[in-house]
Amino acid sequence: MMLTVTDLSVTRGGLRVLEGLSFQTQAGEALVLRGPNGIGKTTLLRTLAGLQPALSGTIDAPEDSIAYAAHSDGLKSTLTVAENLEFWADIFGTSDIDHALAAFDLTDLRERVAGSLSAGQKRRLGLSRLLVTGRKIWILDEPTVSLDTASVAQFADIIRIHLAQGGMALIATHIDLGLEGRALELTPFKAVWNETDEGIDEAFL
């Protein structure tokens, strides 16, 4: 299994932010995106996840192989922890949520309403959805926000297990997760704006 990106250009708010980006990752590999705030890490990840179109270039990945975890936890506050996970398991055609609850230390909270959780607990619940997707490529945008030190280490271990099982992870983070893998510095791919960008019709994302 591979993810291949070729000569990719992406836009935010109608303006190019990255251009000429090419890379390849394969099963068992983690790729960490580096670059200053505003360089386009989130825009790139959203594009890879299929949430917005690329301006140009190609993204080649197996069909239905990508799971995306964004800044937002994406929870239904009136549903319980278990009900939130069951909803996503149904979406992805899986059924077992117990392993996800256990992996993120949520078993004792399974009947707790999500809206009553702490910020860190909500984050763990949001990330636990990755384990019920059945998808091999995890695209992670600052996944450790609101997590304490122990939870960060726990999540890093979960990524390692995912990689060992033939998964892949693309991660935008400013925290060293201690993962073996490559880093991709995005600064050399920062786009130079010009007059042709002004005609792009795109909602601000």
PDB file of all heavy atoms in Angstrom, residues 41-81:
ATOM      1  N   LYS A  41      -0.207  23.435   6.387  1.00  0.00           N
ATOM      2  CA  LYS A  41      -0.263  22.034   6.817  1.00  0.00           C
ATOM      3  C   LYS A  41      -1.706  21.522   6.853  1.00  0.00           C
ATOM      4  O   LYS A  41      -2.003  20.445   6.326  1.00  0.00           O
ATOM      5  CB  LYS A  41       0.396  21.879   8.196  1.00  0.00           C
ATOM      6  CG  LYS A  41       1.893  22.171   8.205  1.00  0.00           C
ATOM      7  CD  LYS A  41       2.524  21.854   9.533  1.00  0.00           C
ATOM      8  CE  LYS A  41       2.082  22.786  10.645  1.00  0.00           C
ATOM      9  NZ  LYS A  41       2.548  24.175  10.446  1.00  0.00           N
ATOM     10  N   THR A  42      -2.597  22.298   7.479  1.00  0.00           N
ATOM     11  CA  THR A  42      -3.999  21.874   7.557  1.00  0.00           C
ATOM     12  C   THR A  42      -4.625  21.805   6.174  1.00  0.00           C
ATOM     13  O   THR A  42      -5.353  20.857   5.846  1.00  0.00           O
ATOM     14  CB  THR A  42      -4.801  22.834   8.455  1.00  0.00           C
ATOM     15  OG1 THR A  42      -4.348  22.702   9.806  1.00  0.00           O
ATOM     16  CG2 THR A  42      -6.299  22.532   8.404  1.00  0.00           C
ATOM     17  N   THR A  43      -4.343  22.792   5.330  1.00  0.00           N
ATOM     18  CA  THR A  43      -4.881  22.793   3.968  1.00  0.00           C
ATOM     19  C   THR A  43      -4.417  21.564   3.208  1.00  0.00           C
ATOM     20  O   THR A  43      -5.198  20.911   2.501  1.00  0.00           O
ATOM     21  CB  THR A  43      -4.446  24.066   3.235  1.00  0.00           C
ATOM     22  OG1 THR A  43      -4.913  25.212   3.957  1.00  0.00           O
ATOM     23  CG2 THR A  43      -5.012  24.101   1.823  1.00  0.00           C
ATOM     24  N   LEU A  44      -3.151  21.215   3.351  1.00  0.00           N
ATOM     25  CA  LEU A  44      -2.622  20.029   2.685  1.00  0.00           C
ATOM     26  C   LEU A  44      -3.318  18.769   3.178  1.00  0.00           C
ATOM     27  O   LEU A  44      -3.746  17.916   2.373  1.00  0.00           O
ATOM     28  CB  LEU A  44      -1.115  19.922   2.921  1.00  0.00           C
ATOM     29  CG  LEU A  44      -0.444  18.633   2.427  1.00  0.00           C
ATOM     30  CD1 LEU A  44      -0.645  18.451   0.936  1.00  0.00           C
ATOM     31  CD2 LEU A  44       1.034  18.632   2.799  1.00  0.00           C
ATOM     32  N   LEU A  45      -3.467  18.639   4.496  1.00  0.00           N
ATOM     33  CA  LEU A  45      -4.088  17.438   5.040  1.00  0.00           C
ATOM     34  C   LEU A  45      -5.544  17.319   4.606  1.00  0.00           C
ATOM     35  O   LEU A  45      -6.029  16.228   4.289  1.00  0.00           O
ATOM     36  CB  LEU A  45      -3.978  17.433   6.563  1.00  0.00           C
ATOM     37  CG  LEU A  45      -2.562  17.297   7.135  1.00  0.00           C
ATOM     38  CD1 LEU A  45      -2.594  17.308   8.650  1.00  0.00           C
ATOM     39  CD2 LEU A  45      -1.890  16.027   6.627  1.00  0.00           C
ATOM     40  N   ARG A  46      -6.266  18.441   4.599  1.00  0.00           N
ATOM     41  CA  ARG A  46      -7.658  18.415   4.149  1.00  0.00           C
ATOM     42  C   ARG A  46      -7.755  18.000   2.680  1.00  0.00           C
ATOM     43  O   ARG A  46      -8.677  17.287   2.280  1.00  0.00           O
ATOM     44  CB  ARG A  46      -8.308  19.783   4.349  1.00  0.00           C
ATOM     45  CG  ARG A  46      -8.637  20.118   5.804  1.00  0.00           C
ATOM     46  CD  ARG A  46      -9.211  21.529   5.920  1.00  0.00           C
ATOM     47  NE  ARG A  46     -10.379  21.700   5.073  1.00  0.00           N
ATOM     48  CZ  ARG A  46     -11.627  21.353   5.425  1.00  0.00           C
ATOM     49  NH1 ARG A  46     -11.854  20.819   6.620  1.00  0.00           N
ATOM     50  NH2 ARG A  46     -12.638  21.556   4.605  1.00  0.00           N
ATOM     51  N   THR A  47      -6.803  18.444   1.896  1.00  0.00           N
ATOM     52  CA  THR A  47      -6.787  18.078   0.486  1.00  0.00           C
ATOM     53  C   THR A  47      -6.496  16.595   0.312  1.00  0.00           C
ATOM     54  O   THR A  47      -7.159  15.896  -0.468  1.00  0.00           O
ATOM     55  CB  THR A  47      -5.754  18.918  -0.282  1.00  0.00           C
ATOM     56  OG1 THR A  47      -6.034  20.315  -0.089  1.00  0.00           O
ATOM     57  CG2 THR A  47      -5.799  18.609  -1.773  1.00  0.00           C
ATOM     58  N   LEU A  48      -5.523  16.091   1.053  1.00  0.00           N
ATOM     59  CA  LEU A  48      -5.207  14.664   0.985  1.00  0.00           C
ATOM     60  C   LEU A  48      -6.389  13.809   1.412  1.00  0.00           C
ATOM     61  O   LEU A  48      -6.607  12.718   0.878  1.00  0.00           O
ATOM     62  CB  LEU A  48      -3.991  14.349   1.865  1.00  0.00           C
ATOM     63  CG  LEU A  48      -2.661  14.977   1.468  1.00  0.00           C
ATOM     64  CD1 LEU A  48      -1.591  14.649   2.501  1.00  0.00           C
ATOM     65  CD2 LEU A  48      -2.230  14.517   0.079  1.00  0.00           C
ATOM     66  N   ALA A  49      -7.163  14.314   2.386  1.00  0.00           N
ATOM     67  CA  ALA A  49      -8.315  13.571   2.890  1.00  0.00           C
ATOM     68  C   ALA A  49      -9.536  13.665   1.980  1.00  0.00           C
ATOM     69  O   ALA A  49     -10.549  13.023   2.235  1.00  0.00           O
ATOM     70  CB  ALA A  49      -8.675  14.062   4.289  1.00  0.00           C
ATOM     71  N   GLY A  50      -9.445  14.479   0.920  1.00  0.00           N
ATOM     72  CA  GLY A  50     -10.543  14.614  -0.020  1.00  0.00           C
ATOM     73  C   GLY A  50     -11.616  15.584   0.402  1.00  0.00           C
ATOM     74  O   GLY A  50     -12.718  15.596  -0.167  1.00  0.00           O
ATOM     75  N   LEU A  51     -11.311  16.437   1.379  1.00  0.00           N
ATOM     76  CA  LEU A  51     -12.297  17.395   1.875  1.00  0.00           C
ATOM     77  C   LEU A  51     -12.310  18.692   1.069  1.00  0.00           C
ATOM     78  O   LEU A  51     -13.218  19.500   1.225  1.00  0.00           O
ATOM     79  CB  LEU A  51     -12.037  17.704   3.352  1.00  0.00           C
ATOM     80  CG  LEU A  51     -12.148  16.500   4.287  1.00  0.00           C
ATOM     81  CD1 LEU A  51     -11.818  16.914   5.717  1.00  0.00           C
ATOM     82  CD2 LEU A  51     -13.538  15.884   4.227  1.00  0.00           C
ATOM     83  N   GLN A  52     -11.308  18.906   0.262  1.00  0.00           N
ATOM     84  CA  GLN A  52     -11.282  20.032  -0.655  1.00  0.00           C
ATOM     85  C   GLN A  52     -10.432  19.631  -1.859  1.00  0.00           C
ATOM     86  O   GLN A  52      -9.548  18.783  -1.743  1.00  0.00           O
ATOM     87  CB  GLN A  52     -10.716  21.292   0.003  1.00  0.00           C
ATOM     88  CG  GLN A  52      -9.254  21.202   0.421  1.00  0.00           C
ATOM     89  CD  GLN A  52      -8.810  22.447   1.154  1.00  0.00           C
ATOM     90  OE1 GLN A  52      -9.173  22.685   2.292  1.00  0.00           O
ATOM     91  NE2 GLN A  52      -8.011  23.269   0.473  1.00  0.00           N
ATOM     92  N   PRO A  53     -10.716  20.210  -3.021  1.00  0.00           N
ATOM     93  CA  PRO A  53      -9.984  19.794  -4.225  1.00  0.00           C
ATOM     94  C   PRO A  53      -8.591  20.411  -4.280  1.00  0.00           C
ATOM     95  O   PRO A  53      -8.346  21.496  -3.742  1.00  0.00           O
ATOM     96  CB  PRO A  53     -10.859  20.333  -5.358  1.00  0.00           C
ATOM     97  CG  PRO A  53     -11.551  21.525  -4.752  1.00  0.00           C
ATOM     98  CD  PRO A  53     -11.788  21.172  -3.318  1.00  0.00           C
ATOM     99  N   ALA A  54      -7.697  19.704  -4.917  1.00  0.00           N
ATOM    100  CA  ALA A  54      -6.381  20.262  -5.203  1.00  0.00           C
ATOM    101  C   ALA A  54      -6.492  21.236  -6.372  1.00  0.00           C
ATOM    102  O   ALA A  54      -7.359  21.081  -7.234  1.00  0.00           O
ATOM    103  CB  ALA A  54      -5.397  19.151  -5.550  1.00  0.00           C
ATOM    104  N   LEU A  55      -5.629  22.245  -6.399  1.00  0.00           N
ATOM    105  CA  LEU A  55      -5.584  23.152  -7.546  1.00  0.00           C
ATOM    106  C   LEU A  55      -4.983  22.435  -8.752  1.00  0.00           C
ATOM    107  O   LEU A  55      -5.462  22.568  -9.877  1.00  0.00           O
ATOM    108  CB  LEU A  55      -4.769  24.398  -7.204  1.00  0.00           C
ATOM    109  CG  LEU A  55      -4.619  25.430  -8.318  1.00  0.00           C
ATOM    110  CD1 LEU A  55      -5.991  25.995  -8.708  1.00  0.00           C
ATOM    111  CD2 LEU A  55      -3.682  26.551  -7.885  1.00  0.00           C
ATOM    112  N   SER A  56      -3.947  21.630  -8.495  1.00  0.00           N
ATOM    113  CA  SER A  56      -3.321  20.846  -9.555  1.00  0.00           C
ATOM    114  C   SER A  56      -2.523  19.734  -8.912  1.00  0.00           C
ATOM    115  O   SER A  56      -2.291  19.713  -7.706  1.00  0.00           O
ATOM    116  CB  SER A  56      -2.421  21.716 -10.435  1.00  0.00           C
ATOM    117  OG  SER A  56      -1.371  22.289  -9.665  1.00  0.00           O
ATOM    118  N   GLY A  57      -2.088  18.791  -9.747  1.00  0.00           N
ATOM    119  CA  GLY A  57      -1.340  17.656  -9.250  1.00  0.00           C
ATOM    120  C   GLY A  57      -2.239  16.465  -8.977  1.00  0.00           C
ATOM    121  O   GLY A  57      -3.456  16.520  -9.175  1.00  0.00           O
ATOM    122  N   THR A  58      -1.637  15.392  -8.497  1.00  0.00           N
ATOM    123  CA  THR A  58      -2.389  14.160  -8.274  1.00  0.00           C
ATOM    124  C   THR A  58      -2.122  13.581  -6.891  1.00  0.00           C
ATOM    125  O   THR A  58      -1.034  13.749  -6.323  1.00  0.00           O
ATOM    126  CB  THR A  58      -2.037  13.095  -9.324  1.00  0.00           C
ATOM    127  OG1 THR A  58      -0.638  12.789  -9.241  1.00  0.00           O
ATOM    128  CG2 THR A  58      -2.381  13.578 -10.722  1.00  0.00           C
ATOM    129  N   ILE A  59      -3.142  12.901  -6.369  1.00  0.00           N
ATOM    130  CA  ILE A  59      -3.053  12.160  -5.109  1.00  0.00           C
ATOM    131  C   ILE A  59      -3.513  10.743  -5.406  1.00  0.00           C
ATOM    132  O   ILE A  59      -4.653  10.524  -5.814  1.00  0.00           O
ATOM    133  CB  ILE A  59      -3.948  12.781  -4.023  1.00  0.00           C
ATOM    134  CG1 ILE A  59      -3.553  14.233  -3.765  1.00  0.00           C
ATOM    135  CG2 ILE A  59      -3.874  11.960  -2.731  1.00  0.00           C
ATOM    136  CD1 ILE A  59      -4.580  15.009  -2.942  1.00  0.00           C
ATOM    137  N   ASP A  60      -2.624   9.793  -5.225  1.00  0.00           N
ATOM    138  CA  ASP A  60      -2.936   8.401  -5.551  1.00  0.00           C
ATOM    139  C   ASP A  60      -2.863   7.565  -4.283  1.00  0.00           C
ATOM    140  O   ASP A  60      -1.799   7.397  -3.686  1.00  0.00           O
ATOM    141  CB  ASP A  60      -1.942   7.874  -6.591  1.00  0.00           C
ATOM    142  CG  ASP A  60      -2.273   6.471  -7.054  1.00  0.00           C
ATOM    143  OD1 ASP A  60      -3.418   6.026  -6.821  1.00  0.00           O
ATOM    144  OD2 ASP A  60      -1.398   5.814  -7.639  1.00  0.00           O
ATOM    145  N   ALA A  61      -4.027   7.060  -3.864  1.00  0.00           N
ATOM    146  CA  ALA A  61      -4.115   6.204  -2.678  1.00  0.00           C
ATOM    147  C   ALA A  61      -5.200   5.165  -2.924  1.00  0.00           C
ATOM    148  O   ALA A  61      -6.127   5.400  -3.700  1.00  0.00           O
ATOM    149  CB  ALA A  61      -4.446   7.026  -1.435  1.00  0.00           C
ATOM    150  N   PRO A  62      -5.114   4.004  -2.278  1.00  0.00           N
ATOM    151  CA  PRO A  62      -6.172   3.010  -2.433  1.00  0.00           C
ATOM    152  C   PRO A  62      -7.527   3.589  -2.031  1.00  0.00           C
ATOM    153  O   PRO A  62      -7.631   4.417  -1.124  1.00  0.00           O
ATOM    154  CB  PRO A  62      -5.748   1.890  -1.476  1.00  0.00           C
ATOM    155  CG  PRO A  62      -4.263   2.040  -1.348  1.00  0.00           C
ATOM    156  CD  PRO A  62      -4.015   3.510  -1.414  1.00  0.00           C
ATOM    157  N   GLU A  63      -8.570   3.145  -2.710  1.00  0.00           N
ATOM    158  CA  GLU A  63      -9.913   3.655  -2.436  1.00  0.00           C
ATOM    159  C   GLU A  63     -10.331   3.330  -1.003  1.00  0.00           C
ATOM    160  O   GLU A  63     -10.054   2.246  -0.478  1.00  0.00           O
ATOM    161  CB  GLU A  63     -10.907   3.026  -3.414  1.00  0.00           C
ATOM    162  CG  GLU A  63     -12.312   3.599  -3.310  1.00  0.00           C
ATOM    163  CD  GLU A  63     -13.243   3.034  -4.365  1.00  0.00           C
ATOM    164  OE1 GLU A  63     -12.788   2.168  -5.159  1.00  0.00           O
ATOM    165  OE2 GLU A  63     -14.413   3.429  -4.392  1.00  0.00           O
ATOM    166  N   ASP A  64     -10.989   4.300  -0.367  1.00  0.00           N
ATOM    167  CA  ASP A  64     -11.508   4.139   0.998  1.00  0.00           C
ATOM    168  C   ASP A  64     -10.421   3.700   1.980  1.00  0.00           C
ATOM    169  O   ASP A  64     -10.644   2.840   2.848  1.00  0.00           O
ATOM    170  CB  ASP A  64     -12.663   3.132   1.022  1.00  0.00           C
ATOM    171  CG  ASP A  64     -13.876   3.614   0.253  1.00  0.00           C
ATOM    172  OD1 ASP A  64     -14.076   4.831   0.157  1.00  0.00           O
ATOM    173  OD2 ASP A  64     -14.623   2.761  -0.255  1.00  0.00           O
ATOM    174  N   SER A  65      -9.252   4.308   1.857  1.00  0.00           N
ATOM    175  CA  SER A  65      -8.140   3.925   2.733  1.00  0.00           C
ATOM    176  C   SER A  65      -7.801   4.994   3.761  1.00  0.00           C
ATOM    177  O   SER A  65      -6.987   4.753   4.648  1.00  0.00           O
ATOM    178  CB  SER A  65      -6.898   3.631   1.890  1.00  0.00           C
ATOM    179  OG  SER A  65      -6.491   4.789   1.164  1.00  0.00           O
ATOM    180  N   ILE A  66      -8.422   6.190   3.668  1.00  0.00           N
ATOM    181  CA  ILE A  66      -7.993   7.333   4.473  1.00  0.00           C
ATOM    182  C   ILE A  66      -9.000   7.650   5.573  1.00  0.00           C
ATOM    183  O   ILE A  66     -10.211   7.724   5.346  1.00  0.00           O
ATOM    184  CB  ILE A  66      -7.781   8.565   3.586  1.00  0.00           C
ATOM    185  CG1 ILE A  66      -6.578   8.344   2.657  1.00  0.00           C
ATOM    186  CG2 ILE A  66      -7.576   9.820   4.425  1.00  0.00           C
ATOM    187  CD1 ILE A  66      -6.365   9.458   1.649  1.00  0.00           C
ATOM    188  N   ALA A  67      -8.486   7.859   6.785  1.00  0.00           N
ATOM    189  CA  ALA A  67      -9.265   8.379   7.911  1.00  0.00           C
ATOM    190  C   ALA A  67      -8.612   9.664   8.374  1.00  0.00           C
ATOM    191  O   ALA A  67      -7.388   9.730   8.516  1.00  0.00           O
ATOM    192  CB  ALA A  67      -9.302   7.361   9.055  1.00  0.00           C
ATOM    193  N   TYR A  68      -9.427  10.690   8.622  1.00  0.00           N
ATOM    194  CA  TYR A  68      -8.918  12.030   8.936  1.00  0.00           C
ATOM    195  C   TYR A  68      -9.346  12.443  10.335  1.00  0.00           C
ATOM    196  O   TYR A  68     -10.519  12.330  10.697  1.00  0.00           O
ATOM    197  CB  TYR A  68      -9.471  13.012   7.912  1.00  0.00           C
ATOM    198  CG  TYR A  68      -9.117  14.469   8.136  1.00  0.00           C
ATOM    199  CD1 TYR A  68      -7.800  14.890   8.157  1.00  0.00           C
ATOM    200  CD2 TYR A  68     -10.118  15.427   8.290  1.00  0.00           C
ATOM    201  CE1 TYR A  68      -7.475  16.230   8.336  1.00  0.00           C
ATOM    202  CE2 TYR A  68      -9.803  16.765   8.470  1.00  0.00           C
ATOM    203  CZ  TYR A  68      -8.480  17.165   8.495  1.00  0.00           C
ATOM    204  OH  TYR A  68      -8.169  18.493   8.669  1.00  0.00           O
ATOM    205  N   ALA A  69      -8.406  12.915  11.123  1.00  0.00           N
ATOM    206  CA  ALA A  69      -8.688  13.467  12.449  1.00  0.00           C
ATOM    207  C   ALA A  69      -8.238  14.918  12.458  1.00  0.00           C
ATOM    208  O   ALA A  69      -7.047  15.210  12.353  1.00  0.00           O
ATOM    209  CB  ALA A  69      -7.956  12.678  13.529  1.00  0.00           C
ATOM    210  N   ALA A  70      -9.209  15.832  12.584  1.00  0.00           N
ATOM    211  CA  ALA A  70      -8.942  17.266  12.495  1.00  0.00           C
ATOM    212  C   ALA A  70      -8.782  17.883  13.883  1.00  0.00           C
ATOM    213  O   ALA A  70      -8.770  17.187  14.901  1.00  0.00           O
ATOM    214  CB  ALA A  70     -10.079  17.945  11.729  1.00  0.00           C
ATOM    215  N   HIS A  71      -8.678  19.218  13.912  1.00  0.00           N
ATOM    216  CA  HIS A  71      -8.602  19.928  15.186  1.00  0.00           C
ATOM    217  C   HIS A  71      -9.833  19.671  16.041  1.00  0.00           C
ATOM    218  O   HIS A  71      -9.756  19.509  17.249  1.00  0.00           O
ATOM    219  CB  HIS A  71      -8.480  21.444  14.945  1.00  0.00           C
ATOM    220  CG  HIS A  71      -7.192  21.852  14.319  1.00  0.00           C
ATOM    221  ND1 HIS A  71      -7.107  22.277  13.015  1.00  0.00           N
ATOM    222  CD2 HIS A  71      -5.933  21.907  14.810  1.00  0.00           C
ATOM    223  CE1 HIS A  71      -5.851  22.587  12.743  1.00  0.00           C
ATOM    224  NE2 HIS A  71      -5.117  22.362  13.804  1.00  0.00           N
ATOM    225  N   SER A  72     -11.003  19.669  15.409  1.00  0.00           N
ATOM    226  CA  SER A  72     -12.255  19.479  16.125  1.00  0.00           C
ATOM    227  C   SER A  72     -12.427  18.020  16.522  1.00  0.00           C
ATOM    228  O   SER A  72     -12.078  17.113  15.766  1.00  0.00           O
ATOM    229  CB  SER A  72     -13.433  19.917  15.246  1.00  0.00           C
ATOM    230  OG  SER A  72     -14.667  19.590  15.844  1.00  0.00           O
ATOM    231  N   ASP A  73     -12.998  17.808  17.714  1.00  0.00           N
ATOM    232  CA  ASP A  73     -13.234  16.443  18.168  1.00  0.00           C
ATOM    233  C   ASP A  73     -14.391  15.790  17.421  1.00  0.00           C
ATOM    234  O   ASP A  73     -14.462  14.565  17.338  1.00  0.00           O
ATOM    235  CB  ASP A  73     -13.521  16.421  19.674  1.00  0.00           C
ATOM    236  CG  ASP A  73     -12.333  16.920  20.481  1.00  0.00           C
ATOM    237  OD1 ASP A  73     -11.190  16.578  20.124  1.00  0.00           O
ATOM    238  OD2 ASP A  73     -12.549  17.651  21.462  1.00  0.00           O
ATOM    239  N   GLY A  74     -15.322  16.590  16.892  1.00  0.00           N
ATOM    240  CA  GLY A  74     -16.406  16.057  16.079  1.00  0.00           C
ATOM    241  C   GLY A  74     -17.361  15.161  16.836  1.00  0.00           C
ATOM    242  O   GLY A  74     -17.790  14.130  16.312  1.00  0.00           O
ATOM    243  N   LEU A  75     -17.719  15.525  18.060  1.00  0.00           N
ATOM    244  CA  LEU A  75     -18.572  14.693  18.901  1.00  0.00           C
ATOM    245  C   LEU A  75     -19.996  15.233  18.970  1.00  0.00           C
ATOM    246  O   LEU A  75     -20.229  16.427  18.835  1.00  0.00           O
ATOM    247  CB  LEU A  75     -17.998  14.625  20.324  1.00  0.00           C
ATOM    248  CG  LEU A  75     -16.540  14.185  20.449  1.00  0.00           C
ATOM    249  CD1 LEU A  75     -16.114  14.245  21.903  1.00  0.00           C
ATOM    250  CD2 LEU A  75     -16.335  12.786  19.878  1.00  0.00           C
ATOM    251  N   LYS A  76     -20.922  14.316  19.200  1.00  0.00           N
ATOM    252  CA  LYS A  76     -22.297  14.683  19.517  1.00  0.00           C
ATOM    253  C   LYS A  76     -22.410  14.764  21.033  1.00  0.00           C
ATOM    254  O   LYS A  76     -22.345  13.757  21.731  1.00  0.00           O
ATOM    255  CB  LYS A  76     -23.270  13.647  18.962  1.00  0.00           C
ATOM    256  CG  LYS A  76     -23.264  13.528  17.447  1.00  0.00           C
ATOM    257  CD  LYS A  76     -23.860  14.763  16.791  1.00  0.00           C
ATOM    258  CE  LYS A  76     -23.984  14.562  15.284  1.00  0.00           C
ATOM    259  NZ  LYS A  76     -24.530  15.763  14.615  1.00  0.00           N
ATOM    260  N   SER A  77     -22.574  15.979  21.551  1.00  0.00           N
ATOM    261  CA  SER A  77     -22.478  16.190  22.997  1.00  0.00           C
ATOM    262  C   SER A  77     -23.581  15.509  23.788  1.00  0.00           C
ATOM    263  O   SER A  77     -23.405  15.206  24.973  1.00  0.00           O
ATOM    264  CB  SER A  77     -22.471  17.689  23.310  1.00  0.00           C
ATOM    265  OG  SER A  77     -23.665  18.298  22.864  1.00  0.00           O
ATOM    266  N   THR A  78     -24.735  15.255  23.171  1.00  0.00           N
ATOM    267  CA  THR A  78     -25.852  14.648  23.893  1.00  0.00           C
ATOM    268  C   THR A  78     -25.823  13.121  23.855  1.00  0.00           C
ATOM    269  O   THR A  78     -26.618  12.468  24.538  1.00  0.00           O
ATOM    270  CB  THR A  78     -27.201  15.126  23.326  1.00  0.00           C
ATOM    271  OG1 THR A  78     -27.268  14.802  21.932  1.00  0.00           O
ATOM    272  CG2 THR A  78     -27.352  16.634  23.494  1.00  0.00           C
ATOM    273  N   LEU A  79     -24.911  12.554  23.071  1.00  0.00           N
ATOM    274  CA  LEU A  79     -24.761  11.100  23.020  1.00  0.00           C
ATOM    275  C   LEU A  79     -23.696  10.654  24.016  1.00  0.00           C
ATOM    276  O   LEU A  79     -22.793  11.412  24.373  1.00  0.00           O
ATOM    277  CB  LEU A  79     -24.364  10.654  21.619  1.00  0.00           C
ATOM    278  CG  LEU A  79     -25.345  10.939  20.483  1.00  0.00           C
ATOM    279  CD1 LEU A  79     -24.800  10.380  19.171  1.00  0.00           C
ATOM    280  CD2 LEU A  79     -26.723  10.366  20.782  1.00  0.00           C
ATOM    281  N   THR A  80     -23.794   9.418  24.450  1.00  0.00           N
ATOM    282  CA  THR A  80     -22.775   8.885  25.341  1.00  0.00           C
ATOM    283  C   THR A  80     -21.499   8.594  24.568  1.00  0.00           C
ATOM    284  O   THR A  80     -21.475   8.628  23.329  1.00  0.00           O
ATOM    285  CB  THR A  80     -23.248   7.576  26.004  1.00  0.00           C
ATOM    286  OG1 THR A  80     -23.392   6.567  25.000  1.00  0.00           O
ATOM    287  CG2 THR A  80     -24.575   7.781  26.735  1.00  0.00           C
ATOM    288  N   VAL A  81     -20.455   8.294  25.317  1.00  0.00           N
ATOM    289  CA  VAL A  81     -19.187   7.916  24.701  1.00  0.00           C
ATOM    290  C   VAL A  81     -19.394   6.725  23.765  1.00  0.00           C
ATOM    291  O   VAL A  81     -18.948   6.737  22.601  1.00  0.00           O
ATOM    292  CB  VAL A  81     -18.151   7.572  25.795  1.00  0.00           C
ATOM    293  CG1 VAL A  81     -16.939   6.864  25.194  1.00  0.00           C
ATOM    294  CG2 VAL A  81     -17.732   8.833  26.546  1.00  0.00           C
TER     295      VAL A  81
END
